[in-house]
Amino acid sequence: MTDRYAAFPSLKFSRPADGVLEILLDGPNLNAVSAPMHAELGEIWPVIHRDESVRAVLVRGAGKAFSAGGSFDMINDMIHDPKVRTRVFQEAKDLVHNMINCDTPVVSAMHGPAVGAGLVVGLLADVSIAGRRAKIVDGHTRLGVAAGDHAAICWPLLCGMAKAKYYLLTCEALTGEEAERIGLVSLCVDDDELADRALGVAKRLAAGSVTATRWTKNTLNNWYRQAGPTFDASLAMEFYGFGLADVQEGLAAHLEKRAPEFGAS
């Protein structure tokens, strides 16, 4: 890989086909997003945007999952340290805005759990492909914070307000099959076909007219840009919640593998 990607050691890169850059999420606990990876996932997109050798991006997870979301260590640090919380707030903002403003087309291949910060990349991809048995969960309200990250900017547009409210309020998991049925993802394929299908789409995009694909993405993403104030509000409410008691109970419930018992706020 070129030196420009050496600055992102938490991500793994390869070139599986001409013009295609693959980003592999690979880490402990089902590719949970660590603090360094969270920062790099926000910073990588302007670099890709300026790399003329990359005509399409493929994002996938190693092993049994796409990504289990933010690591419990990072969440704990956010709860107890306002400086960490402020830093991660900015990173979360950069991740969404930088993905939207990266004109290079992105394909995601989601299998197993796809949650939290990892799900941001999976659903903001221009072509999102899910394995039939993928487990897609937003997870914020079960943790005890508002559904921030990417949710408010894209879920209502992708699957409609009624479905968005249901899944974001309840944190009910969606299979890849159900996610495709309601329009949350572009395609659903059998799990053993996921890698080949996603790479095939990336190769097809890379072989197309660079200006045509980039400018089509750029103009379509104005729908997301119009929702920018809604996204900013949701992110602010999410991170305000990291300073309240409910998130401490939510994290404890996750660690103890039990249902949370939230008090009245």
Side-chain angles (χ1 to χ4, degrees):
M1 299 305 302
T2 56
D3 288 342
R4 73 180 74 201
Y5 298 107
F8 303 92
S10 296
L11 304 172
K12 292 187 177 180
F13 302 93
S14 64
R15 300 272 189 168
D18 183 41
V20 177
L21 175 70
E22 181 181 88
I23 302 175
L24 182 68
L25 307 179
D26 187 5
N29 301 316
L30 299 177
N31 307 323
V33 176
S34 64
M37 184 186 287
H38 192 266
E40 291 174 20
L41 282 173
E43 295 166 357
I44 189 64
W45 303 106
V47 177
I48 292 171
H49 177 85
R50 294 188 294 268
D51 188 348
E52 294 182 357
S53 72
V54 177
R55 301 192 298 276
V57 179
L58 172 61
V59 185
R60 65 181 185 89
K64 298 180 179 180
F66 184 69
S67 173
S71 71
F72 291 146
D73 287 343
M74 184 175 72
I75 293 171
N76 186 66
D77 289 343
M78 290 164 60
I79 291 171
H80 294 100
D81 190 335
K83 290 183 178 179
V84 173
R85 190 155 65 244
T86 301
R87 187 196 74 233
V88 177
F89 170 80
Q90 185 60 55
E91 292 170 357
K93 195 172 184 179
D94 289 344
L95 173 53
V96 169
H97 286 301
N98 287 346
M99 275 202 78
I100 290 170
N101 291 324
C102 174
D103 286 349
T104 309
V106 180
V107 178
S108 64
M110 293 181 283
H111 73 292
V115 185
L119 186 58
V120 176
V121 179
L123 292 186
L124 282 180
D126 307 296
V127 179
S128 52
I129 307 177
R132 205 165 299 282
R133 292 178 294 176
K135 184 179 180 181
I136 296 171
V137 187
D138 181 73
H140 281 83
T141 57
R142 188 184 185 281
L143 183 63
V145 295
D149 286 357
H150 68 301
I153 204 169
C154 69
W155 281 61
L157 188 60
L158 294 172
C159 64
M161 185 63 78
K163 290 294 187 184
K165 284 185 175 180
Y166 178 76
Y167 285 106
L168 295 174
L169 289 171
T170 66
C171 290
E172 185 172 317
L174 295 93
T175 62
E177 198 165 26
E178 178 65 7
E180 182 192 42
R181 189 188 73 81
I182 68 173
L184 187 65
V185 301
S186 306
L187 298 171
C188 173
V189 300
D190 290 338
D191 292 76
D192 58 359
E193 298 175 3
L194 178 62
D196 288 343
R197 185 65 182 276
L199 179 57
V201 173
K203 289 166 68 174
R204 181 177 178 180
L205 291 170
S209 165
V210 172
T211 53
T213 55
R214 288 172 67 95
W215 293 347
T216 297
K217 170 179 177 172
N218 183 289
T219 52
L220 287 171
N221 276 2
N222 281 323
W223 288 95
Y224 288 155
R225 294 184 185 97
Q226 288 182 87
T230 300
F231 163 67
D232 289 342
S234 71
L235 197 66
M237 291 177 182
E238 174 192 355
F239 277 77
Y240 187 88
F242 278 107
L244 302 179
D246 275 355
V247 72
Q248 297 184 42
E249 166 58 17
L251 178 58
H254 274 84
L255 292 171
E256 297 165 14
K257 301 185 185 304
R258 59 172 174 82
E261 298 179 4
F262 297 124
S265 299

